[in-house]
């Protein structure tokens, strides 16, 4: 197994992976692209405090609501476009999409679907998780053999930068057609508003 967030959005990756093995099963975690962009910006800002504002980066023209599709934080959320590139090399049956939202609210449910997709026995179930209220994420319970619970690290679940309502609405309008197309392509409505 190998994982890297940028695989899904890097143009050359599907070709390279298919050249390695056409049997590869692919798992992609997706979340509401607007929240994703804000999370992405929040993470970059934590490392680069003098970054321009989110709005300055996200819009070519904020008044007219013209979004800058070349900014990575925006581009990555255009899931339908990235998927089109993957479908040139892999059938949809070899690609599984995990909902980032449900991975938090129902980790066992999402993991059941992953296990089914991989064709392995459903070993990871509800009893393996507990919800850590402080963190706002589920944690893996202590493995039967040894060790302590496994929760997400300190850098996960950062408080997102506050973005004004208008900008959020403009981004929602921008992403809507791409989201609808993505739902149609994968046959699942992720219900991102
Ligand atoms: N297991 C699991 N379930 C649900 N959500 C998760 C999980 N792991 C990471 N995340 C959230 O994904 C956001 C980016 O995570 P990372 O910091 O790991 O990304 S990166 O790989 O470093 O780019 C970041 O989102 P925000 O916390 O909203 O900013 C992480 O919290």
């Amino acid at each position: 197994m190998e994982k890297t967030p940028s695989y899904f959005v890097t143009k050359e990756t599907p070709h390279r992976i298919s050249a390695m093995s056409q049997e590869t099963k692919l798992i992609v975690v997706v979340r509401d692209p607007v929240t994703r962009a804000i999370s992405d910006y929040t993470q970059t800002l934590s490392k680069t405090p003098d970054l321009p504002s989110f709005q300055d980066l996200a819009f070519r023209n904020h008044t007219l609501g013209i979004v800058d599709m070349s900014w990575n934080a925006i581009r990555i959320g255009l899931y339908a476009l990235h998927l089109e590139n993957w479908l040139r090399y892999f059938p949809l049956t070899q690609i599984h999409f995990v909902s980032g939202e449900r991975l938090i609210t129902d980790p066992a449910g999402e993991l059941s679907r992953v296990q089914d997709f991989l064709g392995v026995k459903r070993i990871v179930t509800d009893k393996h998780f507990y919800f850590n209220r402080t963190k706002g994420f589920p944690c893996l319970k202590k493995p039967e053999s040894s060790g302590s619970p496994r929760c997400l690290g300190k850098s996960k679940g950062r408080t997102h930068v506050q973005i004004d309502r208008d900008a959020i609405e403009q981004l929602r309008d921008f992403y809507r057609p791409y989201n609808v197309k993505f739902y149609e392509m994968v046959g699942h409505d992720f219900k991102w508003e």
Side-chain angles (χ1 to χ4, degrees):
M1 190 186 81
E2 157 69 11
K3 74 162 182 97
T4 302
S6 58
Y7 280 162
F8 185 55
V9 301
T10 304
K11 197 164 174 286
E12 301 77 17
T13 313
H15 174 240
R16 288 180 183 162
I17 295 183
S18 77
M20 193 180 70
S21 165
Q22 293 188 344
E23 311 294 303
T24 311
K25 288 194 175 185
L26 305 148
I27 299 174
V28 188
V29 182
V30 285
R31 75 194 288 194
D32 179 337
V34 178
T35 325
R36 209 216 70 80
I38 299 170
S39 162
D40 193 326
Y41 175 80
T42 304
Q43 191 187 75
T44 311
L45 187 67
S46 72
K47 296 174 194 156
T48 326
D50 57 354
L51 206 61
S53 75
F54 178 87
Q55 279 89 333
D56 283 352
L57 293 166
F59 296 95
R60 281 188 198 279
N61 183 322
H62 194 1
T63 321
L64 299 177
I66 300 170
V67 172
D68 188 346
M69 289 172 73
S70 68
W71 184 36
N72 252 346
I74 295 292
R75 189 184 69 86
I76 293 172
L78 299 168
Y79 304 135
L81 301 190
H82 305 304
L83 179 56
E84 261 173 8
N85 186 33
W86 281 88
L87 291 177
R88 294 168 57 213
Y89 297 92
F90 290 96
L92 190 61
T93 48
Q94 268 169 251
I95 313 177
H96 178 73
F97 290 91
V98 171
S99 156
E101 287 84 8
R102 290 183 62 91
L103 198 53
I104 297 169
T105 57
D106 179 21
E110 276 309 304
L111 264 292
S112 293
R113 282 182 278 277
V114 169
Q115 290 168 99
D116 292 350
F117 167 71
L118 294 175
V120 298
K121 208 171 137 199
R122 287 190 183 180
I123 289 176
V124 183
T125 63
D126 244 344
K127 69 172 191 193
H128 294 96
F129 296 96
Y130 73 92
F131 195 80
N132 180 326
R133 280 183 192 286
T134 322
K135 199 88 204 133
F137 285 104
C139 299
L140 263 180
K141 282 185 188 158
K142 197 168 106 166
E144 264 131 50
S145 48
S146 65
S148 43
R150 261 208 75 130
C151 298
L152 291 179
K154 271 204 197 87
S155 66
K156 319 290 171 190
R158 286 192 188 90
T159 305
H160 289 180
V161 171
Q162 279 286 326
I163 307 298
D164 70 59
R165 254 175 195 284
D166 285 357
I168 302 267
E169 278 315 309
Q170 284 170 324
L171 287 177
R172 295 223 168 282
D173 290 346
F174 166 75
Y175 275 118
R176 193 165 296 114
Y178 295 99
N179 288 345
V180 169
K181 180 156 188 222
F182 179 63
Y183 301 161
E184 284 168 4
M185 290 170 88
V186 300
H188 179 79
D189 183 347
F190 284 83
K191 303 207 179 300
W192 300 315
E193 290 311 315

